[in-house]
Amino acid sequence: TYYGGGMYLSTHYYNELINNTFVGNEAGTSGGGLYLTGSWGSSSGEFVNNIVAYTAGGDGVYTDSGSATYLSSSSDYNDWYDNSGADLGGSLSTIPGSNSITDEPLFADYSGDCDNDVFTLSADSTLIDAGDPSIRDADGTDSDIGAFGGPDSPSVDVDGDGYYTPGDDCDDSDDAINPDSEEIAYDGIDQDCDGSDLTDVDGDGFD
């Protein structure tokens, strides 16, 4: 497509784009991830907790002059990373939202081939708990950025260990890490998902 590889919206007044993952999209001309025109969101709209990353062509998000005005005031807590051309094209050149970030998402598995990519966040992703604090994840913590954050995020078991994220699995990219795993002391890894590595084996209060 020439415009809006991931999504094309024109003159839509009540759009809430919250906790989405726009990744690896491409447009021949503009708006590889998202194309907004016709004063998108001029009555009501939100662009929050989204990942716009690895756009292959046409910039991450394109806005015309009217849509740029509204996006700049309704967009925050998004992650923009490694988009071809630029993160933004058209009338908006500065990433909106003081809480937006430009960090590598660190997906559980991403190669860009579209066949076996896993868009859950790995345990060391900075997007975890980095979303809008007024939106909560299913486990009650601050929302993650991306499609697997927010109260309605799907539960998945990527590593096949029988534990899910969101849920009890603190690293769904490693089947050796789950609440039933034996903790290995002093290795800096929380194998049993109790929140910390074991550093006081004898229980005397000292590491």
Side-chain angles (χ1 to χ4, degrees):
T1 182
Y2 287 104
Y3 304 99
M7 181 180 291
Y8 183 108
L9 295 174
S10 176
T11 321
H12 286 247
Y13 297 114
Y14 300 97
N15 292 291
E16 293 183 346
L17 298 177
I18 301 173
N19 282 110
N20 299 282
T21 297
F22 296 92
V23 170
N25 296 291
E26 182 176 6
T29 302
S30 301
L34 183 62
Y35 189 98
L36 304 176
T37 186
S39 297
W40 170 87
S42 58
S43 177
S44 176
E46 289 185 77
F47 191 75
V48 175
N49 282 7
N50 300 293
I51 300 173
V52 183
Y54 303 114
T55 302
D59 302 326
V61 174
Y62 173 90
T63 57
D64 66 4
S65 58
S67 298
T69 299
Y70 299 107
L71 184 67
S72 62
S73 62
S74 65
S75 173
D76 206 357
Y77 295 97
N78 301 296
D79 180 48
W80 307 78
Y81 184 77
D82 195 24
N83 294 295
S84 176
D87 293 318
L88 295 156
S91 298
L92 193 62
S93 58
T94 302
I95 292 175
S98 60
N99 299 290
S100 290
I101 59 178
T102 56
D103 295 356
E104 183 180 359
L106 296 180
F107 295 119
D109 188 4
Y110 181 73
S111 62
D113 64 6
C114 299
D115 293 328
N116 57 2
D117 294 327
V118 179
F119 294 113
T120 55
L121 302 175
S122 63
D124 51 352
S125 172
T126 57
L127 278 60
I128 294 175
D129 296 340
D132 187 339
S134 69
I135 301 171
R136 314 301 290 178
D137 279 345
D139 61 3
T141 61
D142 288 350
S143 56
D144 299 343
I145 296 175
F148 289 89
D152 300 318
S153 60
S155 294
V156 294
D157 180 18
V158 175
D159 57 18
D161 62 2
Y163 290 90
Y164 289 79
T165 182
D168 297 325
D169 198 335
C170 58
D171 187 350
D172 205 27
S173 64
D174 189 340
D175 63 4
I177 297 178
N178 61 65
D180 274 342
S181 293
E182 182 178 352
E183 186 68 20
I184 301 173
Y186 308 112
D187 67 348
I189 300 173
D190 178 19
Q191 280 91 3
D192 63 2
C193 294
D194 69 350
S196 62
D197 182 31
L198 178 60
T199 57
D200 181 15
V201 175
D202 59 9
D204 63 357
F206 296 94
D207 292 349

